[in-house]
Amino acid sequence: IILRMYWRIRSLVKTLLYRVLFGGRFVFPFDSTFRRNFGVYLGKGARIAVGHNVFFNRGCSINCLESVEIGDNCIFGENVKIYDQNHRFADRNEIIRNQGYSIAPVKIGGLLDLHKYFILKGVTIGEHSVIGAGCVVSQDIPAYSIVRNRMDLMVEELRK
């Protein structure tokens, strides 16, 4: 109980700090929480909206240059990374950091259970979905889906 209170108070203080820094561009209800090493990068004019009763475990981060929306009652396992941008790299004569970004909003439905994965730009994940550890989500996931890493499937097949 004491640890839960500690994490809750710590999350509330950091949420208040983010609200002061980012104003209305950072929507994070007080009934949502996060653990140690939660990070937010919010670009100029970008917006992050998190639903109610969302939990981010250790090491999660949201990197937003346009828009990230997360529905209610999501559970993010350790080290989940959410990006609404990718570096451009089409010009071989220019270093990558000078080529800018391609940007597209990320939408994550409610009631998800997500573990150690990356969500890339332009992705919509439907509600009631489960994304397994180690996945890189680069395309839309329909509601009520279970997504597993191909390596998990290969290991499973080898054991049979």
Side-chain angles (χ1 to χ4, degrees):
I1 294 173
I2 292 171
L3 278 176
R4 289 183 107 197
M5 288 175 40
Y6 168 77
W7 287 115
R8 188 75 189 121
I9 291 168
R10 184 181 168 104
S11 180
L12 288 171
V13 169
K14 200 167 181 182
T15 298
L16 284 171
L17 176 65
Y18 284 143
R19 284 184 175 189
V20 169
L21 288 173
F22 301 123
R25 297 184 310 122
F26 182 75
V27 178
F28 198 98
F30 287 115
D31 64 351
S32 290
T33 188
F34 47 82
R35 294 251 172 108
R36 184 178 306 257
N37 297 325
F38 175 77
V40 170
Y41 176 78
L42 193 56
K44 185 178 181 180
R47 184 171 189 271
I48 296 172
V50 175
H52 290 279
N53 198 32
V54 174
F55 172 72
F56 292 92
N57 211 332
R58 291 181 211 102
C60 293
S61 67
I62 302 173
N63 297 275
C64 180
L65 295 180
E66 182 179 308
S67 172
V68 172
E69 296 178 22
I70 299 170
D72 298 337
N73 301 305
C74 292
I75 300 170
F76 291 85
E78 292 182 353
N79 301 313
V80 173
K81 310 299 182 195
I82 302 170
Y83 298 90
D84 72 346
Q85 77 278 343
N86 287 334
H87 285 277
R88 290 188 179 130
F89 51 88
D91 186 351
R92 289 183 171 194
N93 298 318
E94 184 68 50
I95 58 176
I96 291 175
R97 81 174 134 224
N98 293 341
Q99 294 187 47
Y101 299 94
S102 60
I103 302 168
V106 171
K107 295 180 183 178
I108 301 172
L111 294 166
L112 297 178
D113 188 10
L114 312 165
H115 302 277
K116 295 181 187 174
Y117 68 95
F118 292 85
I119 300 174
L120 303 179
K121 69 174 180 110
V123 169
T124 298
I125 300 175
E127 61 186 19
H128 297 275
S129 294
V130 176
I131 311 296
C135 292
V136 176
V137 181
S138 60
Q139 58 188 347
D140 292 351
I141 306 296
Y144 300 93
S145 296
I146 297 174
V147 178
R148 295 178 54 193
N149 188 333
R150 290 186 144 253
M151 186 58 127
D152 292 341
L153 295 174
M154 289 172 32
V155 170
E156 230 174 78
E157 288 174 12
L158 290 175
R159 290 182 189 159
K160 291 181 181 180

